[in-house]
Amino acid sequence: MMNHQVVIISVKQSENVSKFLQQLKLQHIPIRKLGFSKEHLMFEIDVQHLRALRKIRKRYAVKLTIRYKAPHKILQRDGTTLIGLLFLTIVPVILAQFIWRVEVDANTVELVDEMDNYLQSEMEITMPIFKRQFYSDRELRQQLMEHFRQFSWVHITKQGSRVTLTPQLAPKETISLKQSMNQHLIASNSGVITHFDIERGVRKVEPNMTVYKGDTLVSGVLMRDDEVFVVGAQGEVYADYWLETTFSIPKTIEMQVLDEINWDIEINWNQLASSWKEKSLTPLKSLIVNTPSRVFHNKTETISENDVEKVILPLLHEKMIRSLPLKSTIKSEKLLHVYADDDTVKGKVLYLVNENIATPLPIHQGE
């Protein structure tokens, strides 16, 4: 089947142009719409005569340009096409080094908005961001779970230039109505009351009041007009209290440190050449092989007394917050004492913890 794709030829005027045209006629190459100007002559031929035309051009050393009359139907073999293919391969590789979107996939719209606001205002994540400057999965998960205490885990999915955060809520402790109707809430620890989240019961303390372990926080018994009603107590009572902890760590710590992430980018030249020859478009992912490689080095750190606040305290803070019940927070911390001997650094840290100190106490019969 003959290919009748039309090609427009523009020949620069020279002394060999007439010989060039005569030779085209001798080779039985049909010329259509021949036109002249001061510097060029132009005409049209069918694409199947293009190879013969190029041979004649070399013989007479004339300068010409070739373009297809309907360029959108075919991939042209010219400089513009080559530049376009280079942009097609290089630009996506460059853009792939950035994260363009961080999405939150949560159960409620309110939680999505709250997480989005925290990512932008507190963590200062703005798009686009270079992948090497983005938080690691561990750092991102750690900060989110520390701020949103109701999360038991945060799934992080990375697909191309998009990061999806899927929080998993911790299971709620369910208390049967029958059980909650037969209990008080007492203090499991001493502290200063900060706030309440009471569902049922009679509150016995006020904010900023100091309570001691065993004090009744919420009563499950209601007195009215000399009558006693068992209403039960259910909810949470939060208080601040100081928690002291000690630590002892080796002075010399060995760790692996990430130096850099290298991206080994290879272009499948055989596939590209085949695509060029067949005048077909090949998906970009089959032309480019992008393989990440992480470079680590072993590092030995010697911890001194001066390094405790910037190295040890953040680690102790994370360990402490994970040991506390859900929704607990650490408001402040103070380094009480630190000293180092030959091979160990020891010390004491005081934490100001805000925690739900309400614990159920059964109502005794006849109370």
Side-chain angles (χ1 to χ4, degrees):
M1 183 177 179
M2 298 295 291
N3 187 353
H4 295 289
Q5 177 72 30
V6 178
V7 180
I8 300 175
I9 309 297
S10 176
V11 184
K12 188 175 182 179
Q13 292 283 12
S14 66
E15 57 184 7
N16 291 332
V17 169
S18 59
K19 296 179 181 179
F20 172 74
L21 292 176
Q22 291 176 3
Q23 190 63 33
L24 292 179
K25 185 177 180 180
L26 292 175
Q27 294 290 336
H28 304 289
I29 298 177
I31 297 175
R32 298 186 298 273
K33 296 184 180 180
L34 181 63
F36 296 85
S37 66
K38 185 177 180 180
E39 297 182 352
H40 296 85
L41 65 90
M42 292 180 294
F43 55 90
E44 296 178 358
I45 65 171
D46 292 333
V47 70
Q48 63 264 24
H49 301 299
L50 196 56
R51 179 174 296 181
L53 181 139
R54 286 194 172 102
K55 292 181 179 180
I56 298 172
R57 182 201 71 81
K58 290 181 181 179
R59 183 188 307 172
Y60 293 100
V62 296
K63 296 181 178 180
L64 55 83
T65 57
I66 300 172
R67 65 184 180 89
Y68 291 88
K69 192 171 184 179
H72 61 282
K73 296 181 180 179
I74 193 168
L75 187 64
Q76 302 183 55
R77 298 184 182 181
D78 54 20
T80 303
T81 303
L82 180 60
I83 294 173
L85 285 175
L86 289 177
F87 274 101
L88 186 65
T89 56
I90 294 175
V91 172
V93 172
I94 295 175
L95 296 181
Q97 307 309 310
F98 293 85
I99 293 176
W100 294 88
R101 185 167 54 179
V102 176
E103 297 180 345
V104 177
D105 183 13
N107 294 332
T108 62
V109 177
E110 292 77 12
L111 184 55
V112 171
D113 293 339
E114 188 177 355
M115 288 186 65
D116 283 336
N117 182 65
Y118 178 73
L119 292 172
Q120 295 174 14
S121 60
E122 300 296 332
M123 300 185 68
E124 298 180 350
I125 297 178
T126 56
M127 299 293 110
I129 183 172
F130 196 45
K131 285 185 176 180
R132 293 186 182 180
Q133 298 176 345
F134 194 65
Y135 291 90
S136 66
D137 289 1
R138 183 186 63 82
E139 293 173 336
L140 186 57
R141 184 179 293 111
Q142 174 182 327
Q143 291 207 32
L144 288 174
M145 293 184 65
E146 183 175 335
H147 181 77
F148 298 94
R149 298 296 296 166
Q150 67 270 36
F151 293 169
S152 63
W153 191 250
V154 177
H155 297 280
I156 301 175
T157 305
K158 294 181 178 179
Q159 184 176 8
S161 298
R162 181 178 62 185
V163 177
T164 303
L165 306 177
T166 307
Q168 180 177 338
L169 297 177
K172 295 183 178 180
E173 296 183 0
T174 57
I175 302 177
S176 66
L177 180 61
K178 182 177 180 181
Q179 178 183 355
S180 64
M181 289 289 287
N182 294 281
Q183 67 182 23
H184 301 297
L185 294 180
I186 65 171
S188 61
N189 203 352
S190 302
V192 179
I193 301 300
T194 58
H195 60 284
F196 302 85
D197 186 7
I198 303 300
E199 298 180 15
R200 186 183 298 108
V202 182
R203 198 166 71 180
K204 293 296 184 180
V205 294
E206 299 296 333
N208 301 319
M209 180 184 294
T210 300
V211 297
Y212 299 93
K213 183 176 181 179
D215 288 352
T216 300
L217 304 177
V218 181
S219 174
V221 177
L222 174 63
M223 302 290 295
R224 179 179 296 174
D225 297 332
D226 297 330
E227 293 187 23
V228 178
F229 300 92
V230 178
V231 296
Q234 185 176 353
E236 298 173 342
V237 181
Y238 290 85
D240 289 344
Y241 67 91
W242 289 99
L243 179 62
E244 182 180 300
T245 181
T246 61
F247 65 88
S248 177
I249 60 172
K251 291 181 66 174
T252 303
I253 301 176
E254 293 185 1
M255 63 186 72
Q256 275 195 337
V257 180
L258 177 63
D259 279 340
E260 59 184 3
I261 300 178
N262 297 322
W263 292 86
D264 300 326
I265 302 173
E266 297 181 1
I267 298 178
N268 191 338
W269 294 107
N270 293 330
Q271 183 71 22
L272 183 60
S274 176
S275 175
W276 179 276
K277 184 177 180 180
E278 296 175 1
K279 302 177 183 178
S280 62
L281 293 177
T282 303
L284 183 61
K285 62 180 181 181
S286 63
L287 298 177
I288 300 175
V289 180
N290 194 0
T291 306
S293 60
R294 293 172 172 81
V295 180
F296 294 89
H297 76 274
N298 293 327
K299 184 179 180 181
T300 301
E301 285 283 348
T302 301
I303 305 299
S304 65
E305 296 180 14
N306 296 328
D307 296 328
V308 171
E309 289 194 13
K310 65 179 181 180
V311 178
I312 304 302
L313 282 186
L315 298 177
L316 294 176
H317 180 96
E318 177 62 21
K319 182 179 179 181
M320 177 59 67
I321 196 68
R322 291 187 178 277
S323 67
L324 295 173
L326 191 65
K327 297 184 181 180
S328 302
T329 58
I330 295 177
K331 290 187 172 181
S332 65
E333 55 194 33
K334 295 180 180 179
L335 184 62
L336 297 180
H337 179 62
V338 61
Y339 67 94
D341 55 20
D342 294 337
D343 58 356
T344 308
V345 177
K346 300 179 180 180
K348 292 183 179 180
V349 182
L350 191 63
Y351 294 98
L352 179 59
V353 178
N354 184 260
E355 180 184 320
N356 172 31
I357 63 171
T359 185
L361 176 69
I363 299 176
H364 300 291
Q365 187 175 5
E367 182 177 340

